[in-house]
Amino acid sequence: MEAWIDFAKGPLFAVTFLIMILGLARLLIIQVYNLIISKGGRLKNAPWKSILKDAVTWFIPVKHLIKGTVIFSAFSFMFHIGVILVPVLLADHIVLWENFLGANLPAIGQGFADFLTLFTIGCILVLLIMRVFVRRQRAMSKPMDYFLLIMVLLPFASGYFASHPGSNPLTWESMMLVHLLSAEFLLVLIPFTKLAHIVLYFFDRISGLHWQLRPGAGDKVARALFDEEARV
Amino acid sequence: MSTIPEESKIQTVKEKKSYPYYIENPVEENRVERFLEAFAAILKYTDYKPLLDSYCNSSAKCNRCAVTCPVFQVTHDPRDIPCYRTNLLLDTYKRYFTIGGWFKSRFTSTFELTDDIIDEMLDGFYRCTACRRCTRECPMGVDHGMITRLGRYILSLMGIVPKALQVSTREQLEGETHNTSQIPKAALLNTLEFLSEELKDMLGIEVEFPVDKMKRDYVFFCAVSDYLLEPETLMGNAAVLYASGDWDRWTIGTCNYDGINYGLFYSDWHLESIIKQLIAEVDRLKGKNILIGECGHASRSAHDFVPVFSNGKPYPVYNFMEYTLKCIKEGRIKLNNDIVTEKVTYHDPCNIARSGWIIDQPREILKSFVPNFVEMTPHGKDNYCCGGGGGLVSVDEIHDFRMNIAGKVKAEQIRRTGAEIVISPCANCKKQLKELVEHYELPCQVMGIHDLILKAIEIPGAKSAAERNEEAEMFAM
Ligand code: HEM
Ligand code: SF4
Ligand code: SF4
């Protein structure tokens, strides 16, 4: 068991982390290329002012507490605080960052970390319950949407149990292994599922640029499909 | 928090009705193959692929788009959830045009494009007014308006377009009159003469409309239907140009006088061809700027796409309200603020407000001479579509849909303001709102902003606004 844990903490973490970074880098490059480089000079004329204004105002979450999604939005926002802070700034994780990246980050206190973890777990449960019980949200949900929430829940829950032996239903070793493997699986999932929004989100904010259509393209499409007369 | 829309007490429409539109030559055979063929051609030559890639990856399935969509607010029908409809296209893309989709289909029974799904798209993409209200709320920036348009584009390549739109664009691009309302040049000239006479009667000014004048600062295009349906708006435009002293700085071209561009709603090729036709007319007249009359989508398509499709330096495009506001600010026109005593509200056309740059200008104009101005809630970028956006207003056979579903929220909104006059500076919105006012028996009148200016403008050497007002009242009795 010890050996497994060491393997998961060492090489497996390095590989999965690298997969995530490379996967996200790939998306980043594709987005920069498609949205900026390939459109080139056409972007001069884009309505930058309104696009950037909308992009920036979207970051103010209270602007989006619209009727019908207030609870969802609030919990989703709080969920993200935990999901970003805990994995990065937890005292035990700081060691990982030091080992692999040489980074020296400040840790958050154990008490606060516990609170944030439970809080995040609570948020995930609320999000899950809403998805099941709000009819219009259920109507558009696919198995993946549930699966990802559960996949985020797993490392949080197992991490909490592992650090609180009193509440742990399994042995520390097995719980730790669950924690490591589920977290690493999540890392791999990030660039290939909707979790890729970690990068894509920022490009989505400026996706209005896609209205800068390619000149002449419509003509080529029509040419490929039919003869001159049939077009209009 | 002005952005919070009031979902209000809108009653939901329970029945699952479809509202078919006429199609010129409905295709029955090989629809799936033809759809995929058209989709493939689009992906090959246009820039939509990266957009689809990114949307496929990111939708959060969060349901914000549903609660903001005026259609869903009324029907509460899952197929009207913007994300659901968009996914019809995204799923098709994923299944047939990505490696992952192909791979998945080898192992499991995944999404397959069928005739039923095409039917659903054919219905769904014309149940969305492409107003883009949902897009503003979507955390992932999914532009359902653009996807609706792309879906319609693919369908149009297999011949599925509402006949009303297709016939109009055909006339505009290939017909003799080169405009969507089939108004021949002689009829245009007649109308202009008639407008001159009306202006003389009403204002007491002698003007001849400038036609085909070369090297003018402004070449004017309105929604061509205005020449038939909205003489007051055009007279308001003319009065502003006359009063500001710019009468010899503008012109109307007779080879092309139509600003309408249905390509914005369903096809890249049409969009580009119509824009090029517009540019060609300005080239011919050696004009300097393009001035678009009161029309939302004409303004947006010219403003956004003249730069995209021009070779070389694009002509600047202005909406008429920008011009009028400039004249007011420079003190070149005077509006009498005692004339309009009614309660007035303003409807933001989606294409120039949410998808454009015109929100404050009309309000500045109105507040300068209308003492009793009220806002709708919500307004500006968060406004509700009139229910006739995306070309739907031109499709007469779906009148029921526009009234009972797409326009219902708007009608409620207007009713709540208690306004007697609804200003709507857009040919499409005007038509739809007039129909809504009639359908819901709202106690108000719909008009363009220049109709109101026409009442209140003071022109030196002409009849005063008060005088005209009195005359009009006598006439009404
Ligand atoms: C740069 C950081 C991030 C940003 C800007 C961001 C943004 C968002 C946004 C805007 C949503 C849509 C939900 C809403 O409308 O409120 C969302 C959903 C979601 N995010 Fe993030 N996110 C980030 C990082 C993460 C991370 C690190 C994870 C976890 C690994 C994560 C997991 C999720 C999940 C699971 C959902 C879906 C929630 C549901 O299904 O109800 N996000 N994110
Ligand atoms: S574009 Fe408008 S009509 Fe279409 S789905 Fe979005 S909000 Fe609804
Ligand atoms: S608002 Fe955007 S992310 Fe949310 S369900 Fe609709 S399309 Fe998906």
Side-chain angles (χ1 to χ4, degrees), chain B residues 8-277:
Chain B
S8 82
K9 308 105 213 154
I10 296 146
Q11 273 204 319
T12 44
V13 175
K14 282 279 181 267
E15 93 257 61
K16 287 207 178 196
K17 234 166 112 180
S18 93
Y19 296 87
Y21 44 89
Y22 295 122
I23 300 168
E24 235 178 9
N25 298 307
V27 257
E28 305 293 346
E29 277 150 33
N30 299 335
R31 294 201 303 172
V32 173
E33 289 77 15
R34 295 180 62 174
F35 189 94
L36 293 175
E37 197 190 353
F39 204 170
I42 287 179
L43 292 175
K44 184 162 173 203
Y45 295 110
T46 66
D47 285 351
Y48 290 111
K49 195 169 164 43
L51 176 85
L52 296 173
D53 278 332
S54 125
Y55 285 174
C56 281
N57 255 329
S58 56
S59 171
K61 307 283 166 43
C62 69
N63 158 22
R64 289 172 199 254
C65 50
V67 296
T68 42
C69 172
V71 175
F72 180 80
Q73 282 181 10
V74 174
T75 63
H76 281 258
D77 183 344
R79 71 184 165 151
D80 284 325
I81 296 174
C83 186
Y84 171 81
R85 183 185 49 239
T86 291
N87 264 317
L88 296 176
L89 199 67
L90 292 182
D91 284 341
T92 310
Y93 172 72
K94 264 192 278 193
R95 163 66 183 84
Y96 296 97
F97 301 101
T98 63
I99 299 171
W102 174 83
F103 199 70
K104 229 165 143 186
S105 74
R106 296 298 101 183
F107 294 99
T108 54
S109 64
T110 48
F111 173 90
E112 295 286 336
L113 185 66
T114 57
D115 262 330
D116 285 344
I117 300 233
I118 290 181
D119 275 334
E120 208 175 332
M121 292 198 207
L122 178 158
D123 205 41
F125 289 135
Y126 285 92
R127 286 175 74 89
C128 163
T129 66
C131 70
R132 299 179 72 236
R133 187 166 200 273
C134 48
T135 300
R136 270 178 67 71
E137 287 306 330
C138 173
M140 299 310 168
V142 175
D143 193 335
H144 299 285
M146 190 187 268
I147 295 290
T148 290
R149 180 173 180 279
L150 179 59
R152 291 178 181 187
Y153 185 20
I154 299 170
L155 291 173
S156 81
L157 291 171
M158 30 189 306
I160 301 176
V161 200
K163 189 176 166 195
L165 300 183
Q166 192 173 22
V167 169
S168 305
T169 15
R170 180 181 302 135
E171 180 63 26
Q172 191 176 18
L173 286 173
E174 299 195 332
E176 269 179 28
T177 61
H178 278 300
N179 65 69
T180 48
S181 295
Q182 293 196 34
I183 303 176
K185 182 175 164 182
L188 172 78
L189 297 177
N190 268 338
T191 306
L192 294 178
E193 216 167 284
F194 164 79
L195 291 176
S196 291
E197 277 163 28
E198 284 287 296
L199 281 171
K200 190 173 163 204
D201 283 353
M202 189 189 270
L203 302 175
I205 55 174
E206 299 256 2
V207 288
E208 195 179 319
F209 277 80
V211 169
D212 282 341
K213 300 282 189 259
M214 304 297 280
K215 296 194 182 160
R216 291 281 164 103
D217 286 343
Y218 299 105
V219 181
F220 177 77
F221 298 89
C222 57
V224 79
S225 51
D226 281 3
Y227 288 114
L228 301 174
L229 303 172
E230 304 290 345
E232 306 258 314
T233 305
L234 293 171
M235 277 154 63
N237 292 155
V240 170
L241 283 160
Y242 179 83
S244 68
D246 282 344
W247 194 259
D248 49 10
R249 292 179 59 206
W250 75 292
T251 187
I252 298 171
T254 55
C255 290
N256 180 4
Y257 34 93
D258 190 0
I260 286 180
N261 193 335
Y262 289 140
L264 183 66
F265 304 141
Y266 78 89
S267 155
D268 284 5
W269 183 73
H270 292 85
L271 177 68
E272 183 167 354
S273 310
I274 296 168
I275 289 292
K276 290 208 161 133
Q277 198 166 284

